[in-house]
Amino acid sequence: MGFYEQLQIETASARESLYRIDFINEGVSGKLSLNDYIQFLTQAYHHVKHTVPLLMTCGGRLDERYEWLRSAVAEYIEEELGHQEWILNDIAACGGDAEQVRNSRPAGATELMVSYAYDMINRVNPVGFFGMVQVLEGTSIAIADNAAGAIQQSLGLPKKAFSYLTSHGALDIEHVDFFKGLMNRIDDKRDQEQIIHSANMFYGLYGNIFRELGRRGGIKHAA
């Protein structure tokens, strides 16, 4: 069994917990309000804008054993440049204030996930960052396309309001195949354990963003 398969098995419980979150299921079912969708995009902006800085930091912290992985990080950087601007464009297409979002603070759960990612790279083990890649790219494939279609249909929004979700859905399958190949080259047991641990942590941290979005939405609907 390759390490990627082991990673999938040992994070299955945390992944299923993420997929059971009400806010995610409401998105896939087309039950989110326009405000819910904009709030989701807002938090996506606040973590996606760190993707390239995190990749750059990770690449710089990898030791010589992982020169091949540093080259892969460089490819990731090229692929991810500017994606946060796509999110702001989506917000504007929904009638939201993109500049207000750009200058806003992230929700607490979002800030904690980003902080954990930087801490993992700088203090613990830069290879652990790939636990975040496992979570974000895997989740995108599982739900992004379906959520985009359902939300667009229910809210009557233009296609240009979904560039982030549609670009991170089925199109990310190539990214996951690339990621799978990278993970199967990692044979250091301690590094494998760190990636599994951090992936489980990121499933919880990413899930907390949606849990917080759900609580905010509930308060707004009650008001």
Side-chain angles (χ1 to χ4, degrees), residues 41-223:
L41 290 173
T42 297
Q43 297 314 310
Y45 169 77
H46 281 300
H47 69 77
V48 170
K49 72 180 182 181
H50 289 279
T51 302
V52 169
L54 283 164
L55 285 164
M56 294 174 78
T57 305
C58 176
R61 299 280 295 180
L62 292 170
D63 62 38
E64 290 184 358
R65 291 179 302 142
Y66 286 121
E67 195 61 42
W68 59 269
L69 189 53
R70 198 186 333 269
S71 297
V73 167
E75 290 188 45
Y76 270 117
I77 290 170
E78 187 174 0
E79 287 281 335
E80 296 296 326
L81 280 169
H83 285 197
Q84 73 274 15
E85 296 298 324
W86 297 359
I87 299 172
L88 293 179
N89 291 339
D90 288 351
I91 290 169
C94 292
D97 188 337
E99 289 309 304
Q100 187 276 328
V101 170
R102 188 193 299 275
N103 295 305
S104 67
R105 289 184 182 274
T110 309
E111 188 166 358
L112 285 172
M113 185 180 76
V114 171
S115 297
Y116 181 79
Y118 280 109
D119 186 62
M120 172 62 61
I121 293 168
N122 288 310
R123 181 181 63 86
V124 183
N125 182 344
V127 176
F129 172 70
F130 288 91
M132 187 178 192
V133 179
Q134 153 81 3
V135 171
L136 297 184
E137 293 204 341
T139 303
S140 292
I141 284 180
I143 65 174
D145 273 348
N146 289 339
I151 295 167
Q152 183 178 12
Q153 184 173 7
S154 66
L155 297 179
L157 292 170
K159 187 175 181 181
K160 65 180 181 179
F162 296 91
S163 60
Y164 171 66
L165 279 179
T166 54
S167 68
H168 288 76
L171 295 178
D172 255 357
I173 291 174
E174 289 184 14
H175 283 189
V176 172
D177 286 342
F178 182 60
F179 175 72
K180 179 178 179 179
L182 297 179
M183 293 301 96
N184 283 336
R185 290 184 65 180
I186 293 177
D187 54 12
D188 184 289
K189 293 298 182 185
R190 285 190 295 184
D191 287 344
Q192 290 179 348
E193 289 171 3
Q194 188 61 63
I195 293 169
I196 291 168
H197 171 74
S198 66
N200 279 315
M201 288 293 293
F202 277 114
Y203 275 118
L205 291 164
Y206 191 46
N208 286 343
I209 295 175
F210 293 100
R211 294 182 184 98
E212 187 168 348
L213 284 167
R215 289 193 295 272
R216 288 184 173 194
I219 292 169
K220 206 167 280 285
H221 294 326

